[in-house]
Amino acid sequence: MDVTARQKRRLPSRGSAASFLVKSTLLKIQRGVKNLRDGAPALVTAKEPYDHVVAESRTPLWTDESLSEKAFQLGKVQNLRTAVKQLNGRLIPAGSTFSFWKQIGRATKRKGYVYGRQLREGCLYPEIGGGICQLSNALYAVALDARCQILERHGHSQIIPGSAAEHNKDATVAWNYIDLRFSPATDMVLEAKLTGTELMIRLKSKQPLRKLIPLNLVGSGRSTIKNEEHSCPTCGETTCFRHKSIVHLPELAGPEKTAFMVDEVWPEFQAWITSNHLEQDCLFSPIDGARWRQPQYAWSIQGFDAVGHATAQTLLRAFRSRKVSRYGAARLKSQLESTENMAAALGRLIPYDARHLVISQSYLPFLFKLGLLGGRTYDVLATRLPLHDLHEPLDGEAQKHPDRKTLAEFRAPDWLVGLESEAYAGAARVISPNSDLVDQGGGRGVLLPWTMPQPRAAKPGKAIAFPGPTAARKGCYELREVARQLDLEVVLLGSELEGADFWEGIKTRRIAPGENWLDGVGAVVQPALVEERPRRLLQAIASGVPVICSAACGLGKFHGWSEVGYGDCEALAASLSKTVSGKQ
């Protein structure tokens, strides 16, 4: 700022700040008393769908990527991420009063609010909850366009270039005495969420309303201020008493930070994370696997700026898993509930300035539900098909084969399927060693090489090994038919979910503890409809034992396996005849 501009500008002083504090405190008390008499009610979540959009506002989250504004932007997005949770899905009944502060509540650190930019006395300076005026601006804009009755609205004292104040569609708020209040003429529901790049606010009705033309308001005549001359990090006024407030901000020129949120260890994901993480990144996993001797969670934590765990939640999950059956709908339901709780626990560890996340697929819908993906980009570590794509083939086969009960045993609830589909569609990349999952990810897919196990020396033989479990989705019915036709011995490695007598009439054997399961095996067969972890197939390939399986097993362009489609008994018989029986 040049000398002339400095001379014209009156800097805030401790005296003016104290005067402002006294006045605002009196106003807060006055508003508090008034609210006791005629305060607006708290809104509840709508129980019915409201499908017709009456008004919509979409505003960019990242409006200034300069280093001096980076911390303000990160703080603002975190504050918006926290605030919209109190609004999304809330019903505003006809004639009732919507109050911004009644619904949002006071912005405090305990609730997850951080320092963002706030305009006061001509200065843009750090304050807890700063930046949520973007939300009040958007709410005011949709309330106007939906022709709601505006009961209370206050414009900002000055205009920041590019803001809603330029169009007189702004609404400043300050706890609790400067509020935004409006009342709709018909029942409406608020939809409030953050995408990766925008704040989206909608008002929706149950029935279609007459199409309304958005209002064009005339300017307010307020003065305009320049960001660089009035913002604490760049104004140059080091003698101002507020200058020290910028110490609350993170490093202004700090590098971009990624948070890795992982579940069980897959060696392919471990290798990829080790090669791709940077020193400023953080890693969050259920438990310190090395310390607690839990190898399934023993992620390498070297080289991360921060590491966090949800140890108590993990131990609770293990305890609860012992109280349900080893298989079935009850266990799967319990697993979903535990995963949701785990995602919430790990989500609380995410630093607000992490703009990119790498997420294990199991956490994805729950983090999306919590609003933690808003304002961020993210990648998915894919371990299975999305639930929608998983249910579809299972439902189709269950209709064709109603006698095969395991095809229809359990389905995730519709709300979870919908959340995962929406979250999956927003992922920047879908990362997996499973070629089938990567192929379905389209151009976003990143194929990792499978980690091959150590080879095992095995005695030759003509038995066929079925990795199991004995479930219809793994292709056990087709294998049973072909084994009977070719008089083959089947080595069973999994539990018998189709019933104890499923393999009756077929030569079978079970592997004793410590026995090499590949001994006497001429081929490993899994013509599966779905498959998540083809580890035994990889073990067979590494050991030189032929593998016959479906593309759903995700082996991709590996040598050492032959493809047969799920349900294709003729192709399976031909392949086994050639591989095991030696027939051409």
Side-chain angles (χ1 to χ4, degrees), residues 456-459 509 511-521 539 543:
R456 291 185 181 183
K459 300 174 183 177
R509 64 182 169 92
I511 301 300
E515 184 182 355
N516 183 358
W517 66 274
L518 287 171
D519 279 343
V521 171
Q539 180 70 73
S543 303

Side-chain angles (χ1 to χ4, degrees), residues 260 262-277 295-296 298-300 358 360 380-384 430-435 437-438 446-454 532-539 541-542 553-556 558:
F260 294 83
V262 293
D263 199 352
E264 291 189 13
V265 173
W266 279 33
E268 297 81 10
F269 294 143
Q270 176 65 84
W272 182 82
I273 291 174
T274 298
S275 299
N276 286 275
H277 82 80
Q296 70 271 33
W299 292 91
S300 173
V358 177
S360 286
V380 178
L381 302 178
T383 55
R384 56 161 172 76
V430 176
I431 304 167
S432 181
N434 188 308
S435 59
L437 304 185
V438 170
V446 177
L447 183 63
L448 306 181
W450 285 108
T451 300
M452 296 302 290
Q454 290 296 318
E532 298 176 5
R533 307 185 189 190
R535 298 296 174 190
R536 284 196 168 116
L537 303 184
L538 296 172
Q539 180 70 73
I541 292 173
C553 294
L555 296 182
F558 257 119

